[in-house]
Amino acid sequence: MPELAEAATPERLEDDWITNFFDKCRLISDEEMQVLWSKVLAGKPVLLADIQSEPSASFHHLNKSDAALFTRLCSFNWVVGELVPIIFNAEDNIYTEAGINFGTLKHLDEIGLISFETLAGFQRTKLPQKIVIAYYGERVDISLQKQSDNCLDFGKVLFSKAGQL
């Protein structure tokens, strides 16, 4: 609980979800996993800093290695309208050095935490000329080519509903 931000809105979650979450966490004896779950609940540092929606029940069935892999993926999160892991080429050193590669992204896709589009990727459309994105609170101002109706590619990965918090 001390990890929760002042701006957190846990009242937006169903009481049953909160009870279930704490019940599952109570049964975890591994200290590293307890810290990870507390950060998941608080949204620090790799997930949203404010509780905005309920993760799916399948999120509670992550094993330690899946949770650690998902946490490493989240280190590449940018806010581009919403929280998005920016992964353009899964074989680039910046990702592989963090243990993120084609195989690990495929695995996270298979267990339902992300959508991994290996060919086309994802983009935001109908953007104005000037937008602001952020990486861990650091704002980046971007000027796109046209006055309106711009597109911005942001990689090959999106969070699934289960992968969002």
Side-chain angles (χ1 to χ4, degrees):
M1 294 300 280
E3 293 284 337
L4 288 177
E6 283 186 38
T9 54
E11 65 274 2
R12 293 173 64 190
L13 297 175
E14 294 289 326
D15 289 341
D16 288 343
W17 184 88
I18 292 172
T19 301
N20 186 44
F21 181 87
F22 282 107
D23 188 50
K24 299 261 189 221
C25 293
R26 178 181 56 82
L27 299 174
I28 296 173
S29 60
D30 183 284
E31 281 188 41
E32 200 173 332
M33 280 302 285
Q34 289 174 352
V35 169
L36 177 65
W37 280 113
S38 69
K39 289 182 178 182
V40 166
L41 178 62
K44 294 180 180 178
V46 295
L47 298 174
L48 293 175
D50 189 319
I51 299 172
Q52 297 178 3
S53 64
E54 295 177 25
S56 86
S58 65
F59 189 66
H60 294 293
H61 299 293
L62 286 179
N63 64 38
K64 186 175 180 176
S65 63
D66 291 341
L69 176 59
F70 187 68
T71 299
R72 287 192 309 271
L73 171 67
C74 290
S75 69
F76 298 101
N77 283 352
W78 283 74
V79 177
V80 184
E82 63 185 60
L83 204 59
V84 178
I86 303 293
I87 309 287
F88 285 103
N89 180 352
E91 302 306 318
D92 283 345
N93 284 344
I94 190 169
Y95 306 120
T96 59
E97 289 173 2
I100 303 297
N101 57 47
F102 180 89
T104 58
L105 291 172
K106 195 73 178 141
H107 174 70
L108 290 173
D109 187 10
E110 289 168 356
I111 64 173
L113 293 176
I114 64 169
S115 179
F116 179 40
E117 177 56 53
T118 59
L119 298 176
F122 300 99
Q123 64 179 211
R124 294 275 186 263
T125 59
K126 301 185 187 219
L127 294 171
Q129 186 172 32
K130 295 190 182 292
I131 63 169
V132 176
I133 63 174
Y135 182 73
Y136 285 90
E138 293 295 320
R139 291 174 41 114
V140 178
D141 296 313
I142 296 180
S143 289
L144 300 171
Q145 289 183 326
K146 300 184 288 183
Q147 289 290 331
S148 63
D149 203 28
N150 288 286
C151 295
L152 179 66
D153 293 330
F154 58 88
K156 311 261 184 215
V157 176
L158 279 181
F159 289 120
S160 67
K161 187 165 181 97
Q164 296 173 3
L165 179 65

